[in-house]
Amino acid sequence: MRTLFFILFFSYLNTLYSQIDTSGRKCIRAVYVENKPKIDGVLDEGVWQKAPVASNFTELSPNPGIKPSQRTEVRLLYTTEGIFIGAKMYDTAVDSILKQLSVRDADWNVNADNFAIYIDGMYTQQSDFTFQVSAAGVQVDMNDGDAVWDAVWKSSVKIDNEGWVAEIEIPYSQLRFPKSDQQIWGINFGRSIRRTRQEFLWSPIDPAKGNEVQQQGLLTGIERIKPPVRLSFTPYVAGYLNHTYDGSTKETVFTPLFSAGADMKYGINESFTLDVALIPDFGDVQSDNLVFNISPFEIYYEERRPFFTEGVDLFNRADLFYSRRIGSNPEYYSSVFQQLDSSEYITKNPVKPYLINALKISGRTKKGLGFGLFNALTAPSFATIENDSGATRNFETESFSNYNVFVLDQQFWKHSYVSLINTSVIRFGSYTDAIVTGTEFKIADKNNNYGVVGSAAISNRFLDTSLYEKNHDNGYRYEFEFQKFSGNFLFGIGQNTMSKYYNINDLGYVVRTNFINSKAWVSYNIYKPTGLMLRMWSKLDFSYERLYNPSVFTRIQIGGRWGCTLKNFLTIGADFKIEPIGFNDYFESRTDNRFWAKPTWTRINFWFSSDYRKAFALDGGINYRRFWGEGAWKGSDVIGLNLQPLVRFNDNFNMTIEVDLTIRRNSLGFVTKSPNQNGLEDDIIFGSRYRQDLETMIMANYLFTNKISLSLRLRHYWAIVDYNQLYLLNDDGTMGDTNYNGNHNTNYNAFNIDLIFRWRFAPGSELNIVWKNAVLDYGVNPNYNYFNNFGSMFDTGQNNQFSIKALYYLDFFKFFKKRNRGKRID
């Protein structure tokens, strides 16, 4: 009955999908040609002169709505294979065109002029594809803002005595459009002139309205084209040599590894695509930014594996999917230590189970119905235990596991959508299984001025009774907010509730539950130059929070922020937050119904970002947080400082250094639990400590060409925790005396080097040569001398990994060109 309800509900929403509205929009017509032009950056073929010209661009930034300072002309052609764009960017100062090289898809703060095409082939008016090329020939492509998405297309640029030219070929296989005799696509063209920080668009965009896709122009003229078969394979081979050095035993171990597999993409129809990763390999992804965590909450680490970051927008509805759970630490990874007797020790305990394969199906119909299906399988994981006589046995730390996500998402009324998402984890054997069902929605008026946004979810966990006292756990959450979406003045008011046992962490990520938070905010933004400012933004917010169970007051927060970009392109800002009546923290104690009384506190932060057109640029900030308490809280504060200089030596070589220092003085927090002398529940021990976190990163890029690069990323994270006094947490949340005197001081180092040589030798094909170095050092004696600490860190041991990996893109279209080419429908 429930399934039938959802089918009928989404069918009804599908009938509300807005029909194509062409009134008042700029239009450009593409012209059909039999023979495609040569992609060489020179528009000298006669076929280009057959196409109408898209001109009369409008400035988007920094002066929205005014006429451009330089002329731009764009023409479009199409064949049975794809569309072709020829763009001429006229410039009265040709020698000032900026053309800094960068790695592919690196768009942020690159000193280069750009030209971009935005295509909404399904004309959903809610999402589009972006294809961008710089004056240096560097490609950037995005799927609805997702820069990880990697399309296969051709481009060439040339600078001449009138400006510069971009010539682009986009195969139909890289686009999504319906089967129709006459195509109508949403389209826009963008140009940026970096030396003046100006951005222009062919179809004008009002930044106060939001949703740029709905303000696009129209592309017509593409007729009788049948979408081609979309099928491609990207096989890979990879070789690894791991070198491990143990500083305590002085042992060195070399371990060679080899792997091979493939990614496959298949267009099921014009709307949906199947992606399959067969025996995936992610050994060359960037190292995690490890930090020392003494909070009660899990640290969130960003997903960097390409398959799990590309085209996953649908799966992120309602914030239920955290792909790092797939292939993460086995469920019983730590339990193996409890299986040992006095004569046994662990010889092998894998930190990650083997990922067998993963697949996803995703897409959206021409009526705005999105569908997503994700599945991944991981193999069982075993720890090896050996005793003094040499006998070994295995202990299963993770079973064969099946991870699933299912999504339906219906767009309607141009600005609105409703989604249904279900996630599940099935572990074979006596392990915990989980199912989560949720929804996310936005209901807005036809002008996108006002509306309601929200989400909700129900979690169900079927527990392993050997670890838990019950066999089932369930919880829920909901969040809704009434908002004003468009204009200079914006506001929102709503509520967010999570029950005590809401838990999605088998395949999702949530750290703090058991609360009811009511909130309201107002915002005022200026999008056009005013006085000394090019643009300005500001916001004030208020929240009132209670514990869900038991229902008790916890805190009130008041905050705000302000920022602006000045006419010299210096950006400055500040923000603040206040808890005016203190905070009862029910999480830090790690014990049900025990709270920690925190006093009133205030925090203020100032930051700046200089003009990135300069050879030298500098970002930075300083923040200060003060706890206004007495006793154990006296003198408790937090000081933070961040500096990030950027140096561009030339168009090929750039370097960024980032230093982030945080000092917490007389910082109170949980330490441990200690047996009570009366034999009752354990004492909860808190401590006053000095904590210092210093993160230093060096990132350098050398670009040999727009397809060959060498990138270095070096990161050192150093944390000191030095306790000066220990306390007993009293029942009223205050600090009391204790006889406990355990040593919990810490000196922690995490050091990584990622050196990557990348050669994109053909469209969609790469050769990567990678060196990764990792050091993890944990001690109990704080070392306040940075250089002494840095040098001794390597004495504990390190791991080096050398790898070479080759991927080659194989397109079905190339091998069966005559059979697969898009056809003119008779």
Side-chain angles (χ1 to χ4, degrees):
M1 192 69 183
R2 184 182 300 174
T3 303
L4 178 61
F5 168 77
F6 282 116
I7 292 174
L8 293 175
F9 178 65
F10 276 88
S11 297
Y12 170 71
L13 292 179
N14 198 252
T15 66
L16 300 180
Y17 184 76
S18 301
Q19 300 300 310
I20 293 176
D21 177 16
T22 61
S23 60
R25 296 180 183 270
K26 297 181 75 171
C27 293
I28 181 67
R29 183 173 60 87
V31 172
Y32 176 76
V33 294
E34 288 287 347
N35 299 312
K36 64 180 183 180
K38 181 180 179 182
I39 305 302
D40 57 5
V42 181
L43 306 180
D44 56 355
E45 293 99 332
V47 292
W48 286 114
Q49 305 310 312
K50 299 179 181 179
V53 177
S55 57
N56 298 322
F57 279 53
T58 303
E59 188 166 322
L60 173 66
S61 175
N63 292 280
I66 71 169
K67 293 182 178 180
S69 58
Q70 305 287 349
R71 183 160 55 104
T72 306
E73 295 181 351
V74 184
R75 292 177 168 87
L76 284 95
L77 306 172
Y78 75 99
T79 67
T80 56
E81 300 177 16
I83 64 170
F84 299 80
I85 300 96
K88 176 70 174 181
M89 278 62 68
Y90 291 90
D91 201 310
T92 56
V94 174
D95 58 348
S96 298
I97 295 173
L98 297 179
K99 48 186 185 299
Q100 179 191 344
L101 286 166
S102 67
V103 296
R104 194 180 195 275
D105 289 327
D107 180 44
W108 186 72
N109 287 324
V110 176
N111 263 355
D113 288 18
N114 288 294
F115 172 77
I117 312 103
Y118 309 92
I119 298 176
D120 177 12
M122 284 293 183
Y123 201 61
T124 63
Q125 302 182 67
Q126 295 205 24
S127 60
D128 62 4
F129 293 104
T130 301
F131 300 88
Q132 177 180 296
V133 64
S134 75
V138 178
Q139 292 184 346
V140 174
D141 42 36
M142 289 182 280
N143 181 357
D144 196 24
D146 175 16
V148 179
W149 178 70
D150 202 0
V152 179
W153 50 289
K154 295 180 181 179
S155 64
S156 183
V157 300
K158 286 285 176 63
I159 296 176
D160 57 29
N161 58 4
E162 293 181 320
W164 66 287
V165 174
E167 196 170 13
I168 296 169
E169 176 187 357
I170 305 174
Y172 292 131
S173 61
Q174 305 303 303
L175 301 171
R176 306 293 178 269
F177 55 93
K179 290 181 179 179
S180 177
D181 287 350
Q182 294 185 343
Q183 299 287 333
I184 298 180
W185 298 354
I187 197 164
N188 213 344
F189 310 108
R191 176 188 179 182
S192 70
I193 301 177
R194 184 62 179 175
R195 68 178 182 276
T196 57
R197 296 286 287 267
Q198 290 176 294
E199 297 179 17
F200 309 98
L201 290 170
W202 170 66
S203 182
I205 298 295
D206 183 352
K209 290 183 178 180
N211 201 333
E212 297 182 0
V213 181
Q214 293 177 1
Q215 302 179 61
Q216 289 181 349
L218 296 176
L219 172 64
T220 62
I222 300 180
E223 300 176 346
R224 296 183 290 128
I225 291 295
K226 181 181 178 181
V229 173
R230 295 182 287 114
L231 175 61
S232 66
F233 292 89
T234 308
Y236 80 87
V237 291
Y240 295 87
L241 179 62
N242 290 321
H243 164 249
T244 302
Y245 169 71
D246 188 330
S248 59
T249 63
K250 309 301 181 183
E251 290 184 350
T252 298
V253 178
F254 288 92
T255 307
L257 296 170
F258 174 82
S259 65
D263 289 345
M264 182 196 76
K265 291 181 183 290
Y266 172 63
I268 299 171
N269 56 28
E270 71 274 14
S271 299
F272 299 104
T273 302
L274 167 67
D275 290 281
V276 181
L278 302 171
I279 317 177
D281 175 87
F282 304 113
D284 57 349
V285 300
Q286 180 182 303
S287 304
D288 284 329
N289 292 339
L290 298 178
V291 297
F292 182 60
N293 182 25
I294 53 176
S295 79
F297 307 121
E298 176 190 9
I299 296 295
Y300 181 90
Y301 288 110
E302 183 180 350
E303 177 63 89
R304 304 185 189 278
R305 297 172 295 179
F307 182 85
F308 296 103
T309 56
E310 180 181 330
V312 294
D313 178 64
L314 271 176
F315 302 106
N316 290 328
R317 293 297 197 204
D319 292 327
L320 299 182
F321 180 46
Y322 178 45
S323 57
R324 287 289 297 254
R325 300 295 183 202
I326 301 168
S328 62
N329 275 10
E331 185 174 4
Y332 292 122
Y333 175 78
S334 300
S335 300
V336 65
F337 296 96
Q338 302 169 10
Q339 306 298 316
L340 304 178
D341 61 31
S342 58
S343 66
E344 291 182 319
Y345 52 92
I346 300 170
T347 59
K348 181 182 179 182
N349 190 12
V351 296
K352 294 181 180 180
Y354 177 70
L355 178 60
I356 300 172
N357 59 45
L359 67 84
K360 55 179 183 267
I361 300 173
S362 61
R364 191 177 295 276
T365 70
K366 63 181 180 180
K367 288 194 173 183
L369 177 61
F371 170 81
L373 177 65
F374 176 94
N375 175 264
L377 301 174
T378 59
S381 183
F382 295 90
T384 302
I385 300 172
E386 186 173 340
N387 62 21
D388 293 339
S389 62
T392 62
R393 64 186 178 95
N394 290 331
F395 174 78
E396 187 177 67
T397 57
E398 184 69 85
S399 72
F400 180 85
S401 301
N402 189 353
Y403 300 85
N404 299 279
V405 185
F406 170 79
V407 190
L408 286 176
D409 181 84
Q410 178 64 58
Q411 299 172 342
F412 58 99
W413 293 345
K414 291 186 179 180
H415 308 276
S416 304
Y417 67 88
V418 173
S419 64
L420 171 70
I421 180 168
N422 179 271
T423 71
S424 64
V425 180
I426 301 172
R427 300 180 176 96
F428 290 74
S430 300
Y431 291 81
T432 297
D433 299 327
I435 298 176
V436 181
T437 302
T439 183
E440 180 179 311
F441 59 87
K442 175 185 176 183
I443 312 296
D445 62 26
K446 64 179 182 179
N447 294 318
N448 199 37
N449 288 325
Y450 299 93
V452 178
V453 297
S455 62
I458 298 173
S459 66
N460 293 275
R461 305 184 77 226
F462 307 94
L463 305 176
D464 179 357
T465 54
S466 67
L467 294 179
Y468 300 93
E469 297 179 353
K470 52 185 177 179
N471 60 12
H472 185 259
D473 229 353
N474 59 67
Y476 70 89
R477 74 161 180 87
Y478 66 84
E479 180 177 12
F480 66 88
E481 187 171 320
F482 177 75
Q483 289 187 16
K484 183 176 184 292
F485 301 117
S486 303
N488 299 87
F489 175 72
L490 309 172
F491 66 83
I493 182 169
Q495 187 178 88
N496 185 9
T497 296
M498 285 193 188
S499 68
K500 185 173 183 178
Y501 297 109
Y502 177 71
N503 189 338
I504 62 172
N505 286 334
D506 293 272
L507 192 50
Y509 177 85
V510 64
V511 291
R512 192 169 71 92
T513 61
N514 197 27
F515 65 85
I516 303 172
N517 184 283
S518 301
K519 56 188 176 181
W521 57 270
V522 294
S523 173
Y524 186 76
N525 307 308
I526 297 175
Y527 303 102
K528 294 185 178 182
T530 302
L532 297 175
M533 299 182 297
L534 293 174
R535 63 187 71 89
M536 187 274 291
W537 55 94
S538 62
K539 184 178 183 181
L540 287 173
D541 57 77
F542 170 87
S543 68
Y544 171 88
E545 189 170 298
R546 298 183 65 84
L547 209 64
Y548 176 85
N549 182 18
S551 179
V552 294
F553 167 80
T554 53
R555 63 180 175 182
I556 288 175
Q557 285 192 343
I558 301 171
R561 67 183 186 191
W562 174 89
C564 76
T565 299
L566 303 175
K567 288 188 175 180
N568 63 355
F569 293 99
L570 171 67
T571 301
I572 56 175
D575 57 81
F576 74 93
K577 192 170 286 291
I578 300 172
E579 285 194 358
I581 56 176
F583 172 30
N584 290 331
D585 186 332
Y586 282 81
F587 301 96
E588 181 70 14
S589 67
R590 279 79 157 174
T591 305
D592 278 352
N593 301 321
R594 292 294 303 274
F595 68 89
W596 170 39
K598 299 173 72 173
T600 298
W601 59 264
T602 58
R603 179 186 60 77
I604 190 166
N605 174 48
F606 298 96
W607 58 270
F608 66 90
S609 179
S610 67
D611 186 355
Y612 269 64
R613 296 173 301 173
K614 308 293 185 181
F616 175 81
L618 181 66
D619 291 354
I622 184 170
N623 63 80
Y624 182 73
R625 182 181 183 185
R626 178 64 186 267
F627 293 90
W628 303 97
E630 296 297 328
W633 284 103
K634 190 172 184 180
S636 179
D637 61 7
V638 182
I639 304 169
L641 176 67
N642 173 270
L643 287 175
Q644 184 175 319
L646 166 66
V647 181
R648 292 185 179 89
F649 299 98
N650 51 45
D651 285 343
N652 300 73
F653 183 31
N654 62 81
M655 178 181 292
T656 302
I657 300 173
E658 183 173 355
V659 179
D660 197 335
L661 172 66
T662 302
I663 295 175
R664 298 172 175 87
R665 299 182 296 187
N666 293 327
S667 173
L668 281 175
F670 175 85
V671 179
T672 189
K673 293 183 180 181
S674 176
N676 188 289
Q677 294 180 353
N678 298 324
L680 303 176
E681 65 179 21
D682 290 345
D683 288 338
I684 303 173
I685 307 299
F686 271 56
S688 175
R689 58 210 177 200
Y690 171 88
R691 174 164 180 173
Q692 174 183 293
D693 294 78
L694 177 62
E695 181 183 43
T696 306
M697 284 197 294
I698 299 174
M699 293 158 285
N701 295 289
Y702 188 86
L703 289 302
F704 301 92
T705 70
N706 61 351
K707 294 181 176 63
I708 304 176
S709 64
L710 181 66
S711 299
L712 168 70
R713 183 179 182 274
L714 182 151
R715 176 182 182 266
H716 176 219
Y717 170 81
W718 175 35
I720 287 175
V721 178
D722 196 352
Y723 286 89
N724 52 62
Q725 189 166 349
L726 299 175
Y727 298 97
L728 173 70
L729 179 66
N730 296 323
D731 291 340
D732 63 356
T734 61
M735 298 293 105
D737 294 332
T738 181
N739 293 323
Y740 180 80
N741 60 358
N743 181 10
H744 294 272
N745 295 336
T746 302
N747 194 85
Y748 178 91
N749 289 276
F751 179 83
N752 293 96
I753 296 176
D754 294 84
L755 182 65
I756 303 173
F757 173 83
R758 180 177 288 109
W759 175 27
R760 195 174 182 89
F761 57 88
S765 305
E766 284 188 355
L767 175 68
N768 297 327
I769 302 175
V770 180
W771 169 49
K772 298 173 70 173
N773 173 267
V775 178
L776 190 62
D777 173 36
Y778 182 91
V780 296
N781 298 310
N783 187 345
Y784 286 90
N785 186 308
Y786 177 83
F787 296 101
N788 181 270
N789 168 77
F790 187 84
S792 61
M793 170 181 67
F794 294 94
D795 295 338
T796 61
Q798 57 184 295
N799 183 74
N800 287 280
Q801 176 182 281
F802 302 90
S803 67
I804 181 169
K805 182 177 181 180
L807 308 92
Y808 192 76
Y809 176 80
L810 300 171
D811 191 350
F812 177 84
F813 179 86
K814 291 183 178 180
F815 291 95
F816 301 94
K817 192 170 184 180
K818 291 183 179 180
R819 181 178 175 182
N820 182 53
R821 65 189 301 171
K823 296 179 180 179
R824 296 270 284 180
I825 304 171
D826 295 328

